[in-house]
Amino acid sequence: MVPNNAGAGMPGSLDRAELSSPWGRLWGIGVGPGDGEWLTLKGLKVLQTVEVVACPQNRQGEAGMAYGIVRPYLRSEQVVVPLHLPFVRDPAQLHQAQTAAGQTLVTYLEQGQDVAFITEGDASFYSTFSYVAQAVHRLAPSVDITPVPGVCSPLAAVAALNMPLALAAEKIAVLPALYDVAELTQALAWAEVVVVMKVASVFAQVWQQLAAAELLEQSSLVEWVGSAQEKLYPSLVPLENHTPPYFSILIVRRHDYRF
Ligand SMILES: C[S@@+](CC[C@H](N)C(=O)[O-])C[C@H]1O[C@@H](n2cnc3c(N)ncnc32)[C@H](O)[C@@H]1O
């Protein structure tokens, strides 16, 4: 059983009395990449305490994946605020959307309401939370901003594959996206383990490159880890004509180690 005052007096304590500011606090909660039971106890506690839960919208404009993961834990009286944070690369468009999202959150924070921005995976690992937090800080510098870490997708993927991410002196290269597939060759020359995120749009070229490097058997693909649609491909050999979804991650492990 978790005592009610768990974390009191610690950095990131939930105790409002410790905050002298009239502003609400902004939390960034990493809810993990799929399985709701991967949410941390701290994340759960914060989620059940705050008045407002903000989340990125999906491509259809609805509350997205992070909301789907934590929905069973929310109370009906909590305000849910889906934010438009588009999947685009144009810096001006991104900045505008992030500032608008920040402004929306400030309207709750200035009334003294605590807001939890929920984000898929971890809150500090390629997460929109960092941009939204920056926007809120620009608009309202006295708001206390506290990230709560969560399980990130590479760690969930290797757990599903029953293998370690890294051992001993192995180096890890994480490619957040492959805008230039030559980066994969550079990463493979340097690291024993290479993680390729957002691999869907370049999967065909990546497959050809790994085939040329004779690394298909040491490469794995994990789709929708932790969710009902989860699919594991421990080898890329049979996947020449495969089309993975956006939520897929590729891991190359030069030295095989499975249990
Ligand atoms: C913008 S990043 C978000 C990373 C996230 N903050 C994390 O901690 O994992 C999105 C990419 O993460 C990976 N990813 C996130 N969730 C996933 C899942 N459930 N299954 C497989 N890959 C996932 C995919 O490569 C996806 O394209």
Side-chain angles (χ1 to χ4, degrees):
M1 177 143 159
V2 184
N4 267 343
N5 64 346
M10 304 283 288
S13 158
L14 271 68
D15 192 349
R16 293 268 317 145
E18 287 179 17
L19 288 180
S20 48
S21 161
W23 289 82
R25 180 188 286 191
L26 175 63
W27 298 90
I29 303 184
V31 302
D35 183 341
E37 293 192 353
W38 289 338
L39 183 64
T40 64
L41 286 177
K42 177 84 171 200
L44 180 61
K45 257 192 122 167
V46 173
L47 259 188
Q48 294 183 331
T49 315
V50 293
E51 290 95 343
V52 180
V53 177
C55 59
Q57 288 177 358
N58 60 20
R59 288 175 205 267
Q60 290 73 44
E62 301 147 352
M65 184 162 164
Y67 174 69
I69 294 170
V70 302
R71 191 167 39 183
Y73 304 130
L74 299 181
R75 291 178 283 113
S76 55
E77 65 272 23
Q78 284 175 304
V79 177
V80 176
V81 183
L83 298 168
H84 175 60
L85 294 160
F87 294 82
V88 292
R89 287 176 66 192
D90 174 38
Q93 215 182 326
L94 283 172
H95 185 81
Q96 196 212 356
Q98 289 152 5
T99 304
Q103 270 157 350
T104 303
L105 299 189
V106 165
T107 61
Y108 297 98
L109 295 162
E110 69 190 0
Q111 294 172 50
Q113 295 188 312
D114 287 345
V115 177
F117 179 94
I118 52 172
T119 180
E120 187 264 326
D122 176 75
S124 310
F125 187 69
Y126 303 112
S127 169
T128 42
F129 169 67
S130 304
Y131 300 110
V132 172
Q134 229 174 22
V136 168
H137 183 70
R138 272 197 309 272
L139 296 161
S142 47
V143 170
D144 189 276
I145 301 176
T146 311
V148 178
V151 175
C152 66
S153 52
L155 292 175
V158 288
L161 290 163
N162 274 4
M163 68 185 199
L165 183 61
L167 284 171
E170 287 177 338
K171 296 185 290 302
I172 309 170
V174 179
L175 303 176
L178 264 184
Y179 299 121
D180 175 1
V181 277
E183 286 175 3
L184 179 58
T185 312
Q186 290 161 15
L188 288 167
W190 177 78
E192 287 80 13
V193 183
V194 177
V195 176
V196 188
M197 305 178 69
K198 295 191 184 164
V199 70
S201 58
V202 286
F203 186 76
Q205 293 113 291
V206 168
W207 192 94
Q208 292 299 339
Q209 239 180 307
L210 292 172
E214 298 188 355
L215 284 170
L216 289 176
E217 281 186 44
Q218 288 100 304
S219 305
S220 314
L221 183 75
V222 179
E223 298 175 355
W224 291 108
V225 68
S227 74
Q229 305 107 291
E230 177 181 288
K231 284 215 180 89
L232 306 178
Y233 301 95
S235 159
L236 257 57
V237 172
L239 300 188
E240 181 170 8
N241 299 311
H242 188 66
T243 309
Y246 173 78
F247 285 105
S248 57
I249 190 158
L250 189 146
I251 295 167
V252 187
R253 209 172 199 300
R254 285 189 164 281
H255 309 295
D256 198 10
Y257 190 107
R258 295 179 203 243
F259 44 85

